[in-house]
Amino acid sequence: RAPVGSMAHTSIDLIVFDLGGVLVELGGVQRMMEWTGAKWSLPDLWRRWLTSPAVREFESGRLGEDDFARQLISEFELPVDTAAFRREFGSWVKGAFPGVAPAVERLARSFKLAILSNTNPVHWRKIADEMGFVHHFHYTFLSCKTGLFKPDPEAYRNILRATGCPAGRTLYFDDQQVNVDGALAVGMQARRVSGIAGVREALGAMGLAP
């Protein structure tokens, strides 16, 4: 059934959003570059982070905060102790990009909305408690709760099963091409975007501007 509302679009029923880099501004990359002495390029650092065993275990809900800090420090050879890392890590979620809440609220009148994020309890608590947009979403799929991690195909298929929405009528936004490719591979429509401005641009090109 097509959604109702001023922006109803016959080809899309469900819009799925990544959090970091799409709805939420993230810090921490510069600090990691400093801690590692910039031994890796920024793209290489991102790849190492996304494939890190410590990150994957933590954001899949299988590793506690202290163990995560210890393992990540060891893995990346960071020159800090666990207490210093945890203080820094909690502040890496900066806030929602300006305009996120009203844009999401408007979209929620016409479409089912979902969050799909590789995230952890530390950052999710801050997002849910402080940023004022989460309640507009009909579904949340967090790696730390589902145990499913992008870009693994099962992370996307789980959304389709839970919502009953066909892949071809699902639109996904992410700032990382590897995650966009994961969505495309299961038949979703997907776009790589940067921030809520990128979301608006992509939606506008599809005739779905918020």
Side-chain angles (χ1 to χ4, degrees):
R1 185 176 60 86
V4 295
S6 59
M7 293 179 296
H9 191 273
T10 57
S11 65
I12 298 294
D13 291 338
L14 174 69
I15 303 178
V16 185
F17 293 83
D18 178 34
L19 286 172
V22 177
L23 301 179
V24 174
E25 182 181 3
L26 296 179
V29 174
Q30 185 58 41
R31 178 62 80 193
M32 285 292 290
M33 291 291 283
E34 293 169 5
W35 281 342
T36 58
K39 69 171 71 173
W40 301 296
S41 68
L42 184 57
D44 283 343
L45 180 62
W46 265 117
R47 279 192 291 271
R48 287 176 178 273
W49 180 271
L50 292 171
T51 59
S52 156
V55 171
R56 195 175 179 94
E57 289 291 296
F58 184 44
E59 294 193 339
S60 297
R62 295 190 290 267
L63 198 63
E65 294 174 24
D66 286 335
D67 288 337
F68 165 66
R70 283 193 291 269
Q71 291 187 29
L72 196 83
I73 289 167
S74 174
E75 193 177 312
F76 283 83
E77 300 179 342
L78 304 181
V80 294
D81 61 21
T82 56
F85 176 83
R86 287 190 61 176
R87 282 194 301 271
E88 288 276 351
F89 186 70
S91 70
W92 287 3
V93 172
K94 300 299 183 184
F97 288 113
V100 163
V104 169
E105 181 181 15
R106 180 162 170 75
L107 284 169
R109 299 173 192 164
S110 299
F111 304 96
K112 293 294 186 182
L113 303 183
I115 291 168
L116 173 64
S117 180
N118 292 346
T119 193
N120 57 78
V122 176
H123 290 166
W124 175 246
R125 282 195 298 267
K126 185 169 184 178
I127 291 167
D129 293 347
E130 299 178 13
M131 298 190 190
F133 65 81
V134 170
H135 66 283
H136 295 305
F137 283 82
H138 304 91
Y139 308 95
T140 56
F141 300 93
L142 312 176
S143 61
C144 60
K145 295 186 177 183
T146 65
L148 303 174
F149 203 85
K150 298 179 301 184
D152 297 349
E154 189 62 18
Y156 306 95
R157 292 181 183 135
N158 183 53
I159 292 176
L160 304 178
R161 285 195 302 268
T163 65
C165 185
R169 300 179 69 86
T170 301
L171 174 63
Y172 178 60
F173 291 118
D174 200 293
D175 67 322
Q176 298 291 326
Q177 187 62 46
V178 65
N179 294 331
V180 170
D181 291 343
L184 292 171
V186 301
M188 291 181 177
Q189 299 187 52
R191 303 287 188 276
R192 183 180 182 181
V193 299
S194 179
I196 193 64
V199 171
R200 288 196 187 97
E201 183 178 352
L203 289 171
M206 298 178 70
L208 305 172

Short mmCIF file of all heavy atoms in Angstrom, two decimals, residues 9 191 198-210:
data_model
loop_
_atom_site.label_atom_id
_atom_site.label_comp_id
_atom_site.label_asym_id
_atom_site.label_seq_id
_atom_site.Cartn_x
_atom_site.Cartn_y
_atom_site.Cartn_z
N HIS A 9 4.60 8.81 -2.88
CA HIS A 9 5.29 8.48 -4.12
C HIS A 9 5.09 7.00 -4.37
O HIS A 9 5.34 6.17 -3.51
CB HIS A 9 6.77 8.82 -3.97
CG HIS A 9 7.52 8.76 -5.26
ND1 HIS A 9 8.08 7.61 -5.74
CD2 HIS A 9 7.83 9.72 -6.16
CE1 HIS A 9 8.70 7.86 -6.90
NE2 HIS A 9 8.55 9.13 -7.16
N ARG A 191 21.21 5.55 -2.06
CA ARG A 191 21.98 6.71 -2.50
C ARG A 191 23.05 7.02 -1.45
O ARG A 191 22.78 6.96 -0.25
CB ARG A 191 21.09 7.95 -2.66
CG ARG A 191 19.92 7.81 -3.61
CD ARG A 191 20.38 7.79 -5.06
NE ARG A 191 19.23 7.84 -5.96
CZ ARG A 191 18.51 6.78 -6.35
NH1 ARG A 191 18.83 5.58 -5.87
NH2 ARG A 191 17.50 6.91 -7.18
N GLY A 198 22.52 16.58 1.75
CA GLY A 198 22.61 15.57 0.70
C GLY A 198 21.33 14.77 0.57
O GLY A 198 20.94 14.38 -0.54
N VAL A 199 20.69 14.49 1.71
CA VAL A 199 19.41 13.79 1.69
C VAL A 199 18.38 14.62 0.93
O VAL A 199 17.66 14.10 0.06
CB VAL A 199 18.91 13.51 3.12
CG1 VAL A 199 17.48 13.00 3.11
CG2 VAL A 199 19.83 12.51 3.82
N ARG A 200 18.31 15.91 1.24
CA ARG A 200 17.34 16.79 0.56
C ARG A 200 17.59 16.81 -0.96
O ARG A 200 16.66 16.77 -1.76
CB ARG A 200 17.44 18.20 1.12
CG ARG A 200 16.89 18.38 2.51
CD ARG A 200 16.68 19.86 2.80
NE ARG A 200 16.31 20.09 4.18
CZ ARG A 200 17.17 20.45 5.15
NH1 ARG A 200 18.44 20.61 4.85
NH2 ARG A 200 16.74 20.65 6.38
N GLU A 201 18.86 16.88 -1.33
CA GLU A 201 19.20 16.92 -2.76
C GLU A 201 18.76 15.64 -3.45
O GLU A 201 18.17 15.67 -4.54
CB GLU A 201 20.70 17.13 -2.92
CG GLU A 201 21.14 17.25 -4.37
CD GLU A 201 22.63 17.50 -4.50
OE1 GLU A 201 23.30 17.73 -3.48
OE2 GLU A 201 23.12 17.47 -5.66
N ALA A 202 19.05 14.50 -2.82
CA ALA A 202 18.68 13.21 -3.41
C ALA A 202 17.16 13.05 -3.50
O ALA A 202 16.63 12.59 -4.52
CB ALA A 202 19.28 12.08 -2.61
N LEU A 203 16.47 13.43 -2.45
CA LEU A 203 15.02 13.34 -2.46
C LEU A 203 14.42 14.27 -3.50
O LEU A 203 13.45 13.92 -4.19
CB LEU A 203 14.46 13.68 -1.07
CG LEU A 203 14.68 12.65 0.03
CD1 LEU A 203 14.28 13.21 1.38
CD2 LEU A 203 13.94 11.36 -0.24
N GLY A 204 14.99 15.45 -3.62
CA GLY A 204 14.52 16.39 -4.63
C GLY A 204 14.66 15.85 -6.04
O GLY A 204 13.76 16.00 -6.87
N ALA A 205 15.78 15.18 -6.29
CA ALA A 205 15.99 14.59 -7.61
C ALA A 205 14.99 13.48 -7.94
O ALA A 205 14.70 13.21 -9.09
CB ALA A 205 17.42 14.05 -7.71
N MET A 206 14.45 12.88 -6.86
CA MET A 206 13.45 11.83 -7.04
C MET A 206 12.02 12.35 -6.93
O MET A 206 11.07 11.58 -7.00
CB MET A 206 13.66 10.74 -5.98
CG MET A 206 15.00 10.05 -6.05
SD MET A 206 15.21 8.81 -4.73
CE MET A 206 14.04 7.56 -5.28
N GLY A 207 11.89 13.65 -6.75
CA GLY A 207 10.54 14.23 -6.59
C GLY A 207 9.95 13.99 -5.21
O GLY A 207 8.73 13.99 -5.04
N LEU A 208 10.83 13.81 -4.20
CA LEU A 208 10.36 13.50 -2.84
C LEU A 208 10.88 14.48 -1.80
O LEU A 208 11.00 14.14 -0.63
CB LEU A 208 10.86 12.08 -2.45
CG LEU A 208 10.51 10.94 -3.36
CD1 LEU A 208 11.24 9.67 -2.93
CD2 LEU A 208 9.02 10.69 -3.35
N ALA A 209 11.20 15.69 -2.22
CA ALA A 209 11.87 16.64 -1.31
C ALA A 209 11.04 16.92 -0.07
O ALA A 209 9.83 17.16 -0.17
CB ALA A 209 12.14 17.95 -2.04
N PRO A 210 11.69 16.90 1.13
CA PRO A 210 10.97 17.21 2.37
C PRO A 210 10.68 18.68 2.50
O PRO A 210 11.32 19.49 1.85
CB PRO A 210 11.95 16.74 3.46
CG PRO A 210 13.30 16.87 2.84
CD PRO A 210 13.10 16.55 1.38
#
